[in-house]
Amino acid sequence: MANTELYAQQLTAIKSDEGIEILENDKKVLFFQVRPKSVNGKYERAGFVHPLYSLNEKILTDDMPADHPFHRGIFWAWHQIVLNGKNIADGWVSENISWKPTKVKVKKRKESIILQSQMLWNVLLEHNKQTAIVREKTRITAYKSNSLYRILDFDIHLYPLTDGLKIGGSDDAKGYGGFSLRLKLPGDLSFVSENKIVIPQETAVLAGPWMHFTGSFEGVSMPKSGLLVFGYPSGSGNQYPWILRKVTSMQNIPFPGRAPIELPVRGLRLTYRVIVHNGEMNNEDIEKLYQQYIHKP
């Protein structure tokens, strides 16, 4: 398939068989992987972001790292996929599950480009029959950047195609699963939430609804840069669990945790915002951006 380009002022989307690359003023913003990708035939996955780039076009994410080859840049996955009380697949390590892209399109707006994808989650059930169990509809919106930051919104809908289907995180005290970022991990990586330093632990840490990651992502000779991750407010108030790691792992907002939840017929919606910035953001700036996010139309 020949590459095609769609324009939204300074934002450009280049479509290929592999996926969609978004650029701004010819500088790379992100790549969305559409074609399923594996590690020597293992851990195959589709529908994730890698690379994610800084404002200076430096790569911020890892894909298929040697320590965890099933990690994929920005991805969302669950260890427990349960049908009628029986574990049928492990979406985290791509065991007995595959992702089939069915539709991908790009829409242009005055201030943004919207990437929309549909994926089917297929599993092997009785008699080795491939069965679609979930229709995933994902919408990624990339907004025009300013001198300080770039905003990316992730809107993920999961629609069950069969009754009695549940998803859950790891079946242990960590309970990890859901929206995850496998970031590059500079030695000076720090974590701040609501103006408080957060210390990673083995299990989830309770912190605010946003997390600020800063460090020498672009090299020790360059100024520090960073990312913000916003979770949408939940019924549990402003306390969010976060799985955080300084070495050889991913950052995760675990949802729903260890205990699986049933996917409602109307679908489950998960929304997050990722902000890539140049390192010059303080707590007051971040809080204003967060309030804008939760009060957006």
Side-chain angles (χ1 to χ4, degrees):
M1 181 174 71
N3 288 355
T4 59
E5 296 186 358
L6 300 168
Y7 293 92
Q9 291 192 352
Q10 298 161 316
L11 288 164
T12 310
I14 302 176
K15 300 175 69 174
S16 68
D17 289 342
E18 281 296 313
I20 297 177
E21 186 169 58
I22 295 178
L23 304 97
E24 185 174 16
N25 294 333
D26 295 324
K27 293 174 69 174
K28 295 177 180 179
V29 173
L30 63 83
F31 186 83
F32 181 73
Q33 185 73 33
V34 174
R35 174 182 284 173
K37 186 178 179 182
S38 69
V39 184
N40 299 321
K42 297 178 64 177
Y43 314 121
E44 185 175 274
R45 186 181 298 282
F48 60 91
V49 169
H50 175 78
L52 173 70
Y53 296 90
S54 74
L55 296 181
N56 295 320
E57 217 175 4
K58 303 295 185 183
I59 294 176
L60 298 173
T61 50
D62 273 334
D63 182 33
M64 304 183 296
D67 55 86
H68 293 85
F70 37 84
H71 288 171
R72 294 285 191 279
I74 300 179
F75 66 107
W76 38 97
W78 289 267
H79 265 296
Q80 298 182 75
I81 300 177
V82 181
L83 181 60
N84 297 324
K86 179 183 177 182
N87 279 294
I88 58 170
D90 185 331
W92 191 264
V93 297
S94 302
E95 182 179 299
N96 195 38
I97 187 170
S98 61
W99 286 263
K100 180 183 178 182
T102 59
K103 184 184 297 184
V104 180
K105 61 182 179 179
V106 176
K107 291 185 177 180
K108 56 183 179 179
R109 294 288 186 267
K110 184 177 180 181
E111 298 294 328
S112 64
I113 270 187
I114 302 168
L115 187 159
Q116 294 176 304
S117 80
Q118 288 190 38
M119 300 270 172
L120 291 177
W121 297 12
N122 291 327
V123 301
L124 283 175
L125 294 180
E126 293 85 359
H127 310 297
N128 284 329
K129 182 182 178 182
Q130 281 275 1
T131 304
I133 58 167
V134 170
R135 176 177 289 108
E136 174 190 314
K137 295 184 178 181
T138 295
R139 175 184 173 113
I140 300 173
T141 304
Y143 296 92
K144 290 173 59 179
S145 65
N146 58 29
S147 60
L148 298 177
Y149 59 81
R150 173 185 296 122
I151 292 175
L152 304 169
D153 279 343
F154 292 79
D155 196 341
I156 303 158
H157 291 248
L158 305 177
Y159 298 93
L161 300 178
T162 183
D163 294 333
L165 186 66
K166 296 183 178 182
I167 59 171
S170 58
D171 188 14
D172 55 26
K174 300 174 189 175
Y176 59 87
F179 191 76
S180 305
L181 302 92
R182 178 60 197 243
L183 301 175
K184 302 250 181 217
L185 297 170
D188 57 354
L189 180 63
S190 65
F191 310 84
V192 173
S193 184
E194 296 185 321
N195 214 23
K196 297 176 183 177
I197 295 174
V198 181
I199 305 299
Q201 300 177 16
E202 184 66 16
T203 55
V205 180
L206 284 180
W210 54 261
M211 189 64 63
H212 189 195
F213 305 89
T214 56
S216 300
F217 286 102
E218 302 180 40
V220 293
S221 62
M222 297 290 289
K224 289 184 180 181
S225 57
L227 293 93
L228 292 157
V229 178
F230 292 171
Y232 203 77
S234 65
S236 58
N238 272 343
Q239 288 292 290
Y240 264 67
W242 295 84
I243 298 283
L244 304 173
R245 298 289 183 263
K246 292 199 73 168
V247 294
T248 61
S249 196
M250 49 71 216
Q251 320 300 331
N252 170 231
I253 305 178
F255 175 87
R258 184 175 189 173
I261 62 166
E262 186 164 352
L263 290 181
V265 174
R266 68 183 182 278
L268 174 69
R269 184 184 185 191
L270 302 170
T271 61
Y272 305 93
R273 174 166 283 185
V274 175
I275 301 178
V276 177
H277 69 83
N278 67 357
E280 298 179 10
M281 299 192 72
N282 58 39
N283 189 70
E284 185 177 349
D285 297 330
I286 296 168
E287 189 57 38
K288 285 180 180 177
L289 287 172
Y290 182 71
Q291 291 302 317
Q292 291 171 11
Y293 171 59
I294 64 174
H295 292 111
K296 69 178 182 177

